[in-house]
Amino acid sequence: LVNSKTLFVFAFQTGHTTGPSLNNDKLYKFAYSAEVYVDRVKASLQKSAGYRISSGVDVNLLWRNPDNDDDQLVKVTIRDVQVENVNERPAAKNIFKGKSTEKIIGKEYLAALQRPIVLELVRGKVKTFYSYANEPVFTQNIKRGLASLFQLQLHSGAAREVDISGNCNTTYHVRQDQVTKIKALDSCEIEKQGFTSHNQILDVTTKATSATIYVLEDSFIKSIKAEENYVLVLNSRRKTGAKIVSKQRLELKSVQAGPGLIAGKQVASVIKTLDSSYVAVTLVAEPAKSECKKCPSLSEHWQSIREYMYPEKLSKAEAARSFLSFIQNIRKATKEEILQIIRSENKELLPQVVDAVTSAQTPESLEAILEFLDFKDASTSTLQERFLYACGFASHPSEMLLKSLTATFKGDVANEEIRETLVIVMGALIRKLCEREGCKLPAVVEAKRLILSRLEKAKKDDNVRMYLLALKNALLPEAIPVLLKYAESGEGPISNLAATALQRYDPSFLTKEVKETMNRIYHQNRKVHEKTVRTTAAAIILNSNPSYMEVKNILLSIGELSLEMNKYMLSMIQDILHFEMPSSKTVRQVLKDMRVHNYDRFSKTGSSSAYSGYITRGPDVSSTYSLDILYSGSGILRRSNVNIHVFDRNAELHASQVVIEAQGLESIIAATPDEGEENLDSFAGMSAILFDVQLRPVTFFQGYGDLMSKMFSATGDPINVVKGLILLTDHSQEFQLQSGPRASAEFLGGLAIDISGGMEFSLWYRESKTNVKNRVATFIAGNTEVDSFFVKTGMETTLEVETALDFISTVQFSQYPFLVCMQMDRVESPFRRYMTKYESLPSGRRYTAKRGKAELLAGNEFPLHQENSNMCRKVFGVKSDSSSNWF
């Protein structure tokens, strides 16, 4: 039933009462209706799905306190109930056609609905609501919805009021014979269920309004109209959303002679005289949800979707759709049902089952997966890693999840890489819980203490790296001094990791001390640093409101650096200017000084570069890409960094980062290393951030011997960074409608993802190539529903897209300056959206109306700077076959 403009009538005696008052010995006969509509946000209500309950309502005065005219008992009886479509519909599309009200609602429920209720009204407010103790929750809520309309204040002002919606802030505006009541639904204190996504960009925004208009005539309340509106929109695509409109109307039809008053001094004795079965019950709604009678079991559902979950299908939208529906069913399942599927599935499909079970985030699913996984067994490390990453991407992690991971980490973990992933994911969970004001939860305090204390005691570089990666995810303000220490005094890779961790903090956390340390690192005031660390330090300074002198000193350093670092820093400055980054204003001021801005400084050659651009710019969200690449003087890659950020007016999401780093490779082409990098061990590897979560870095090779063996035995296959199913949007909300029914909204967004990367090296052609492949399928499903025990109405919305993004960097180092070509390509992408409105009865009778649209989004190559385009023409003008010699 639905909240709307509501009508209703009372006599009120001026001078005697401050609220409406009924006359003695009269029976007031009203027409009542409650309607609910569900549709797209901007759609007209004439085509919405929904239903209407209409009835007669008899109201009469039972008792008035002899000492206080403002204290009255009023009897309210619902009769002649009818259920119908809210909009006219042909007989073939009318699910109520040919069914009596008794058949639709059920004999027992109808009888309960028509049993009278009694209200004690004191100064126009419902002091006590009397009904029957064993009343079904659904019918009781419908009566509460009707009773809440009888609550009225005859003077303007604000009040805290209890009604079916809970304890709410209410404002009355009185003007002659009209009273308007505005209820602030977001202020209502009522038991709430549901959860929201971790990041605002991935979430849903809800707006709710409620207004009731009372019309008075000749000291009577003539009519009441009430209307509630709930609007939900997907933040990432505001055209996608739903609205629920609930209307109530109560209108006086006639006044007849009615039963006389019951004599008595006390309310209790009057109620007992009337019916000893009456009890006082709360006016606030009780939660209720109808059970699904014909839903498939978890194992039946799994059998119907498992064909879409094979690894080779994981970049298809059907995989993401199946993943989401599986999560929904796991959330209703018991631990035993979940374990039955996990234990019976083959090893090809098990990783996808683990993704879904972990993403369900119920106590039962967590218990089941922890019982199944044995961290003492190194042979199941693939499943352990999938579980841990799914924990890291958790949309609304619980304290229990972090507590379980901390206990596992303290225990026996056979695989060292899993142990590393465990603590890295603990860092991600600490940040998510802290952002939801859970920083003081015992499990969070314990996990923070464990990471910081063990980092302090760590002696081996591998252990130091592991705890720094955890801090890179946790982003704790108290970890900044520790990160500064490692950034400035640690060895190359450790120093670089600490600096990149600091780079992830919001600039508001970067204190004067941080800026001073970054300046010392960049300008090498205390010790020589590798250029990867120095360039990160420069980026931190330039991205955190730099002073005029800081910018000037960085610009003056250009020309004094090694060749490629000169070129890289120059590109970074030019990117800040062309992309209008926050520090661009200060940079422009500094460039007015001719000692800084001159040909000598700004004509440095080299192949390193930094560039940012837009992938999409929209009214809801925009996304940017940034590519930067740093070489050593010999033409070998030092670092390649691809970032994608998504943002709206209020929030930002680091959607992905893939960094490929290499060092110490000069010996294989008999080149001279850059200053300060003469003794670096040969190394190449890849590190990724996905949806704000730093993953465990992947090593291509470590050491000269490893490099040589991989060069001669490589298959040419790229190394997988991440593959699996991720739950992104996870929004579940329930609304208590003023007319009685319960409404719910559920939006789920899933991602099937496959990111891989590789580095190809040809000594014969003196050419290297790095390739990062991103294969992604996204599926978003929204279901908004109003559930009465005898009818459901709602709307389902789906969006799906499949796409691929490749970043390729080709370097030819047979000459200097060497030739570098960077490419960023997106393939043609199918995009489909569908909407289904429905009404259904428990018997299975159902009405649906479907609409859909499919289109092809054009593929494109993203533009980089002109210099890159010129270089690509040269590279592909002398293109050679260099498919051999991968490592």
Side-chain angles (χ1 to χ4, degrees), residues 31 86 100 157 173 187 201 207 324 338 383 444 507 515 556 589 655 667 677 712 806 809:
V86 78
S100 66
H173 302 279
S187 72
I201 287 171
K207 286 185 179 172
L324 296 182
I338 297 166
L383 296 179
V444 179
K515 302 276 282 294
L556 285 171
Q589 285 177 327
S667 56
E677 299 186 358
F712 291 115
D806 288 348
S809 169

Side-chain angles (χ1 to χ4, degrees), residues 561-761:
L561 310 167
S562 61
L563 278 172
E564 284 300 327
M565 192 170 161
N566 265 332
K567 179 64 176 164
Y568 181 86
M569 290 304 301
L570 202 54
S571 284
M572 189 192 285
I573 294 294
Q574 286 164 336
D575 193 40
I576 287 169
L577 293 173
H578 110 265
F579 206 58
E580 292 293 341
M581 292 178 194
S583 58
S584 58
K585 194 175 175 184
T586 311
V587 171
R588 283 197 175 91
Q589 285 177 327
V590 174
L591 289 176
K592 288 175 183 173
D593 184 341
M594 287 300 116
R595 286 169 301 172
V596 174
H597 192 191
N598 55 51
Y599 179 77
D600 179 54
R601 205 178 307 284
F602 276 73
S603 62
K604 299 300 178 188
T605 57
S607 302
S608 300
S609 66
Y611 188 82
S612 302
Y614 281 98
I615 296 176
T616 57
R617 294 181 86 166
D620 307 325
V621 295
S622 297
S623 56
T624 61
Y625 64 93
S626 66
L627 310 174
D628 62 79
I629 194 156
L630 176 64
Y631 293 98
S632 64
S634 57
I636 293 180
L637 175 80
R638 255 327 242 114
R639 182 184 66 212
S640 140
N641 188 352
V642 189
N643 283 285
I644 295 174
H645 284 85
V646 183
F647 58 92
D648 63 12
R649 291 186 190 92
N650 308 309
E652 184 178 335
L653 174 67
H654 196 169
S656 77
Q657 178 190 64
V658 180
V659 181
I660 295 179
E661 291 193 72
Q663 64 178 40
L665 304 186
E666 283 76 13
S667 56
I668 61 173
I669 57 167
T672 306
D674 289 350
E675 185 186 0
E677 299 186 358
E678 297 86 357
N679 301 317
L680 291 180
D681 195 12
S682 299
F683 166 83
M686 181 158 52
S687 170
I689 290 173
L690 198 57
F691 300 106
D692 273 335
V693 178
Q694 167 71 52
L695 309 182
R696 180 178 55 77
V698 176
T699 299
F700 295 156
F701 61 80
Q702 176 89 49
Y704 189 74
D706 192 22
L707 161 62
M708 287 290 108
S709 71
K710 284 185 176 157
M711 278 185 71
F712 291 115
S713 65
T715 61
D717 295 329
I719 292 180
N720 183 258
V721 187
V722 64
K723 186 172 194 164
L725 297 151
I726 299 171
L727 179 62
L728 290 181
T729 295
D730 192 12
H731 182 97
S732 175
Q733 202 170 357
E734 291 197 355
F735 313 98
Q736 177 55 54
L737 300 184
Q738 187 173 286
S739 51
R742 199 92 165 160
S744 62
E746 191 170 36
F747 284 81
L748 287 172
L751 193 72
I753 192 164
D754 186 349
I755 298 180
S756 58
M759 190 170 172
E760 188 178 350
F761 205 90

